[in-house]
Amino acid sequence: MAQLQIKINLNPPPTNRLVNNNHYSTTPMLLCRRRRTSAPALLLHLPRPAAATPPSPHHLFSPPVKPYRKRRVDSAVRDPPEVAEESSENGSAAVRFRKAAAAAAGEEYPADGGAFGVRKELGRWDGFLLKLRMLIAPPWQRVAHGSVLCMHLRGEISDTAKGRFLGAELALPQVCENFAKAANDPRIAGIYLKIDGLECGWGKLDEIRRHILDFRKSGKFVVGYMSFLKEKEYYLGCACDELYAPSFAHFSLYGFALTSVFLRGVLEKMGIEPVYQRIGKYKKAGDQMMRKTIAEPHLEVLTLLLENIHENWVATVSSSTGKKREDIEEFLNEGAYRMERLKEEGFITDVFYEDQVMELLKKKVGLQEDKILPTVDYRKYSRVKNWTLGLNGGKDEIAVIRTSGLIVNSWSLLNFPGSGIIPADVIKQIRLVRDSKKYKAVVIRIDSAGGDALASDLIWREVRLLATKKPVIASMSDTAASGGYYIAMGSTAIVAEKLTLTSSVGVIQGRFNLAELHRRIGYHKHVVSKGKYSEFNIAGHRPLRPEESELHENITKHVYKEFRDKAAFSRSMSVEEMEKVAQGRIWHGADAVSCGLVDAIGGVSRAVAIAKRKANIPDDKPVKVVELSRPNSSLPEMIMALGTVMAGLGKTAQAISPAGLKFFDDDGGVEARMDFDFQSLDGASDPNLMLTLMKCFLGSI
C-alpha cells in the first residue's frame, strides 16, 4: 500500500515563477511533487514569516538556494518510460525526437487558440457593422468581393516588420496576420500561395504552416504553386489543399545535408593566427578559425540536429499526404527528377503552368473563362486594418516586443537599424511596457544567434525586472541561441518551435595575431604603453604575452560562469544540472524542452495563450495583441543600409568575425553567440563565402 509523505516548508526556495504577479504567494499553496518512488508526496508551502521580505527587484540574481524545484515541462515533450527505454536500447534520437514533438496541451501551458482563431458565425448586428466598416474603409483598404489573396513566399523572411524603405523583404508578422485576416474576411474567397526558393529557418516555416492549416479551417481554399521544389518549399506546399508545379520546376527532394567550413588553412596562407578562448565542450564558434577539420563533439551535435530535421520533415509530410513514412523515405532515396513522378506518387496534385492554375482559380470562385480573376496582393492586403474586419480583440492588451539579428552594443554601418538587437532600443520598449498599466502580459519574440555578452546581459536584466510586475513569455523563432537564449531565460516561460536552434550556453573571446601578415606586407606598428596589461586590447600586432593569455582565459571563464549560473537560476536548476546541458551545446526546441531549457512547443499564438493564462485572463476571452516593434526606418537610414548591402560586408563580417563587428581588428570582445555553421542550418550560409572572405581580406590591407 502506497504511503503518503507530507512535508512542511516554511521557507520555500525562490524561483522566477510568478504567483499573482509577485515572487511569493501571500496565501498557502498546496503543490503535488512527482517522485520516482511509488509513494506520493505533498509539499505544503506556507507564507514566509512577517519579518522576511521578498528580494528587491534590484537583486534578482543571487546563487540558487537548495533544494531546487524542478520547472514543469510541457506534457507534449516529456519522455514517457517506454520512450526512455527504447532510446537507451538503440540510441534512436529520431524516436525520442518524434515522441518529444508530439502535440499535447498542458494545464499550465495551454495549446494555441486564444488569439488568432477563426471567428465564429456573426449575428445580424455584427454582420451589419462589418459591412459598414468595409464600406467606409479608405480606398487602399478596399478589396473586391470574391477576391483571391495572392502571396509570393520567397527568399528571406524577416521576423520583424519592415519599414516603407526596406519593405521588399517579406516579414513574418505581416504574412501571418494576412492569413488571420483573410480567414475572417468575407471578401476573400481563398488564397493563392506561390512558393519559390526560401532562405528562412524551420521555426518560421512551422509558424507559417500553422497559419495555413488554421486558414483552411475557415472552409476557404489554399492553392499552392511551386516552381522551386526543395525540402523547405515542399514543407509549406504540402499544407495546401492543392499543390501544382510546372514540368521543369527546380526539383530536389533528395534528403538533407549539413556542412561545416574551416578556414585555418586559408588564414595560415594569409599569415594570420587566430587566438581564441572559448568555454564549453560544444562551443565550436572558434573551430572555423582554429581547426582544419571537424572535432568529434561538433560532429556529434551536427548528426543529432540532422536526424531531427529529417525526422520532423518525414513525419510532417507523412501526416499531410497520408503516406507511410517508409514510402516517403524510399522516395527520397530514389533520386527522382521528373515532375510527373511526383504526380504519380501523389506528392503534388498535378503538373500545371501558372496560367493553368489561374484558370483553375476562376472555376473555384465561380467566374467564367472570359472574366478577370479579382486578386489582391500581399503588400496591399497588409494595409487592411484589423478594425475594418472587426478583429480588434478584447479590452485586455498583450504587448509583443520583437528582437531580431545580431546582439550588439551600438549601431554601426555593418549593423544598420533594423538588422540587429541594440540594448537601448529593446530596454526602452521593455520599460514602456513595465510602467504601463494597460498591458496585462508581454511576449518577447527572439530571432537571434547571439552576440555581445554585455548587451545580452543588459537586456536579460530588464526582462527579469519586467517579470516581477507582469508575465513575460519568450517566443523563439528560427534561432534563439547563446545571447538569444540569454535574453529568453529571464522570462516567466519559454516557447520554441520543434526545430528552433536554441541554448548554446557558452562564450567565446577571440582575436587575430597579425604579426606575420604585417611582416609580409611591410606594415609596422609601434606602441608606447605604461601598465602590465595596457596593451592587452591593442596587441593584434604581436602574440599575447603569458600574463595576457592568462587574463584572456580568466575573462572568458568568468563570463561563462555568470552565463551558466544565471541560466541555472532562471530555469530553477542546480548549477550541476545546467552544466550537463550547457557547455555551448546547441539543442533543437523539442530536445530543449526535454532538457528543461524550454517550457513548451509552439509559436506566437501559443505564447499569447500562455500569457493569458499567466495573467489570469480566461482562455476563451479575446485579447488585443499590440505589436510594439513597429518599423520606423527613415530615408537616410535606408541609404546607408543600401551602401552596406552593395559593399557585401555586413553578413560576412558578422559571420566570420570573432567579435561580431570587428573584422581583423586588434580588439576582441567577449561573445555569447552561436556557431556560424549552425546558423547555416537555417539556410543562412553564403554560397560565395570564400570569395567574400578574400575580398574582405584584400580590402583590410
Side-chain angles (χ1 to χ4, degrees):
M1 183 175 180
Q3 296 179 350
L4 181 66
Q5 300 176 357
I6 298 179
K7 296 183 179 181
I8 298 179
N9 187 359
L10 296 178
N11 189 23
T15 70
N16 69 328
R17 289 201 180 284
L18 302 181
V19 181
N20 298 327
N21 291 338
N22 292 302
H23 269 281
Y24 299 96
S25 173
T26 57
T27 58
M29 182 169 57
L30 193 63
L31 300 177
C32 180
R33 176 179 291 180
R34 292 176 180 250
R35 298 285 187 183
R36 295 184 182 273
T37 62
S38 59
L42 295 180
L43 179 63
L44 182 63
H45 281 182
L46 299 181
R48 284 177 174 266
T53 58
S56 166
H58 298 288
H59 299 278
L60 287 175
F61 173 65
S62 59
V65 180
K66 292 186 178 182
Y68 300 96
R69 183 166 66 87
K70 289 286 191 179
R71 275 178 172 253
R72 174 179 178 175
V73 299
D74 187 3
S75 59
V77 292
R78 186 183 294 116
D79 282 346
E82 62 271 14
V83 179
E85 292 175 4
E86 187 173 4
S87 299
S88 62
E89 288 178 3
N90 56 21
S92 175
V95 171
R96 178 175 51 80
F97 183 82
R98 181 166 69 251
K99 297 289 185 180
E107 183 178 321
E108 188 175 359
Y109 304 116
D112 292 350
F116 307 109
V118 178
R119 184 173 52 202
K120 297 179 180 179
E121 191 71 25
L122 296 177
R124 290 186 178 182
W125 175 247
D126 291 332
F128 169 75
L129 291 179
L130 176 61
K131 293 179 180 178
L132 180 62
R133 290 191 189 97
M134 292 188 295
L135 181 64
I136 65 176
W140 54 86
Q141 293 188 35
R142 293 180 184 174
V143 178
H145 280 272
S147 294
V148 175
L149 172 59
C150 300
M151 289 199 288
H152 191 182
L153 302 182
R154 60 179 174 181
E156 294 186 9
I157 300 179
S158 169
D159 207 75
T160 56
K162 294 297 179 182
R164 58 185 180 275
F165 295 115
L166 299 174
E169 187 179 352
L170 290 170
L172 184 67
Q174 293 165 345
V175 170
C176 295
E177 187 179 54
N178 281 353
F179 275 107
K181 289 186 299 185
N184 296 283
D185 192 338
R187 302 169 298 180
I188 299 297
I191 292 179
Y192 169 57
L193 200 62
K194 187 175 181 180
I195 306 173
D196 277 333
L198 294 170
E199 298 177 14
C200 64
W202 295 100
K204 294 189 181 75
L205 293 179
D206 272 324
E207 185 81 14
I208 297 174
R209 198 174 192 282
R210 189 178 297 113
H211 277 77
I212 294 175
L213 297 176
D214 286 344
F215 176 84
R216 291 177 57 181
K217 295 176 183 177
S218 66
K220 303 178 182 181
F221 63 82
V222 183
V223 174
Y225 178 78
M226 303 176 63
S227 57
F228 195 94
L229 207 154
K230 296 184 69 174
E231 287 78 13
K232 286 186 176 181
E233 292 73 23
Y234 189 76
Y235 191 75
L236 282 186
C238 67
C240 300
D241 292 296
E242 301 174 19
L243 183 61
Y244 300 91
S247 57
F248 284 100
H250 294 284
F251 171 52
S252 178
L253 290 181
Y254 301 136
F256 300 89
L258 303 179
T259 60
S260 291
V261 177
F262 300 94
L263 304 174
R264 181 60 184 266
V266 178
L267 296 178
E268 285 181 354
K269 294 181 182 300
M270 294 179 179
I272 299 172
E273 179 189 5
V275 181
Y276 274 77
Q277 289 290 343
R278 57 191 188 275
I279 305 298
K281 175 182 177 182
Y282 298 96
K283 194 67 178 179
K284 297 303 167 188
D287 275 10
Q288 288 83 35
M289 304 294 180
M290 296 291 293
R291 295 180 61 90
K292 295 181 179 180
T293 58
I294 194 168
E296 189 62 33
H298 193 176
L299 179 60
E300 174 190 342
V301 175
L302 283 179
T303 302
L304 177 60
L305 296 180
L306 183 63
E307 289 179 358
N308 288 347
I309 293 171
H310 174 83
E311 172 63 28
N312 179 71
W313 190 90
V314 172
T316 302
V317 173
S318 174
S319 175
S320 297
T321 61
K323 292 181 172 295
K324 294 181 179 179
R325 302 166 56 86
E326 297 77 11
D327 295 338
I328 295 174
E329 293 185 346
E330 182 180 349
F331 180 81
L332 291 177
N333 295 328
E334 276 188 19
Y337 56 88
R338 294 185 305 110
M339 296 306 300
E340 289 77 8
R341 182 81 174 114
L342 267 74
K343 177 185 175 181
E344 295 170 2
E345 293 291 334
F347 284 95
I348 63 175
T349 307
D350 209 337
V351 180
F352 275 10
Y353 287 99
E354 192 168 12
D355 63 291
Q356 294 174 295
V357 177
M358 290 298 145
E359 294 299 322
L360 176 67
L361 293 175
K362 286 183 182 180
K363 295 179 181 179
K364 284 186 174 293
V365 299
L367 284 180
Q368 298 178 358
E369 293 184 3
D370 58 341
K371 298 294 183 179
I372 298 177
L373 179 68
T375 61
V376 56
D377 64 15
Y378 159 84
R379 188 173 296 277
K380 180 179 180 180
Y381 198 69
S382 296
R383 301 191 191 115
V384 176
K385 302 298 183 183
N386 285 323
W387 178 87
T388 304
L389 302 173
L391 300 176
N392 295 354
K395 294 182 179 179
D396 294 322
E397 297 185 5
I398 293 179
V400 177
I401 299 175
R402 294 183 181 267
T403 59
S404 179
L406 187 71
I407 303 173
V408 295
N409 261 318
S410 60
W411 179 89
S412 78
L413 282 177
L414 292 180
N415 194 276
F416 51 85
S419 69
I421 302 173
I422 300 176
D425 297 339
V426 179
I427 290 173
K428 181 179 179 181
Q429 293 179 344
I430 291 176
R431 290 177 177 174
L432 173 67
V433 174
R434 190 178 73 202
D435 297 336
S436 175
K437 295 182 179 180
K438 66 179 181 178
Y439 300 117
K440 304 301 182 183
V442 189
V443 172
I444 296 184
R445 178 73 169 177
I446 303 171
D447 187 24
S448 174
D452 185 80
L454 170 61
S456 303
D457 187 65
L458 293 176
I459 300 175
W460 171 85
R461 170 69 176 180
E462 293 297 326
V463 172
R464 293 288 303 171
L465 291 173
L466 176 60
T468 64
K469 290 196 171 184
K470 54 192 67 178
V472 182
I473 311 301
S475 172
M476 296 178 169
S477 183
D478 288 339
T479 306
S482 212
Y485 184 78
Y486 203 130
I487 296 174
M489 69 190 190
S491 59
T492 310
I494 300 177
V495 181
E497 298 288 1
K498 297 188 299 293
L499 293 178
T500 294
L501 293 170
T502 188
S503 188
S504 189
V505 178
V507 297
I508 181 172
Q509 183 175 208
R511 61 178 69 210
F512 291 111
N513 173 16
L514 305 180
E516 177 61 21
L517 172 63
H518 290 173
R519 186 192 66 78
R520 292 182 184 182
I521 64 177
Y523 177 83
H524 178 70
K525 181 177 182 180
H526 184 78
V527 178
V528 178
S529 62
K530 185 176 180 61
K532 183 178 181 180
Y533 297 105
S534 58
E535 296 184 20
F536 177 70
N537 288 326
I538 58 173
H541 63 291
R542 60 168 175 78
L544 289 177
R545 297 165 183 153
E547 62 272 15
E548 291 173 335
S549 295
E550 183 179 359
L551 177 61
H552 198 211
E553 180 180 358
N554 290 338
I555 291 175
T556 310
K557 287 181 178 179
H558 169 72
V559 176
Y560 173 74
K561 181 179 180 299
E562 287 284 308
F563 189 178
R564 180 202 60 196
D565 291 355
K566 288 181 180 179
F569 170 75
S570 298
R571 299 301 301 168
S572 300
M573 299 169 67
S574 68
V575 173
E576 293 75 16
E577 290 172 323
M578 177 56 65
E579 185 70 17
K580 292 178 182 179
V581 296
Q583 292 285 326
R585 180 161 186 163
I586 297 291
W587 299 95
H588 272 141
D591 287 332
V593 177
S594 300
C595 295
L597 298 170
V598 170
D599 295 303
I601 295 297
V604 176
S605 56
R606 186 164 196 196
V608 171
I610 295 174
K612 288 173 59 178
R613 181 73 62 85
K614 296 289 185 181
N616 298 320
I617 301 173
D619 294 345
D620 58 349
K621 184 179 181 181
V623 295
K624 184 176 182 180
V625 179
V626 182
E627 292 272 357
L628 297 183
S629 307
R630 291 293 181 182
N632 57 358
S633 300
S634 63
L635 182 59
E637 291 170 352
M638 183 274 296
I639 296 174
M640 300 186 77
L642 180 62
T644 303
V645 172
M646 292 180 64
L649 298 179
K651 287 186 178 180
T652 304
Q654 293 177 10
I656 63 180
S657 170
L661 302 179
K662 300 177 180 178
F663 185 71
F664 289 155
D665 198 357
D666 293 333
D667 182 12
V670 181
E671 295 284 301
R673 59 183 305 192
M674 189 177 69
D675 308 3
F676 169 59
D677 59 327
F678 286 133
Q679 297 179 51
S680 67
L681 296 176
D682 289 343
S685 60
D686 186 354
N688 298 314
L689 174 62
M690 292 304 302
L691 179 61
T692 310
L693 175 65
M694 293 302 298
K695 288 181 179 179
C696 290
F697 166 68
L698 294 175
S700 68
I701 59 176

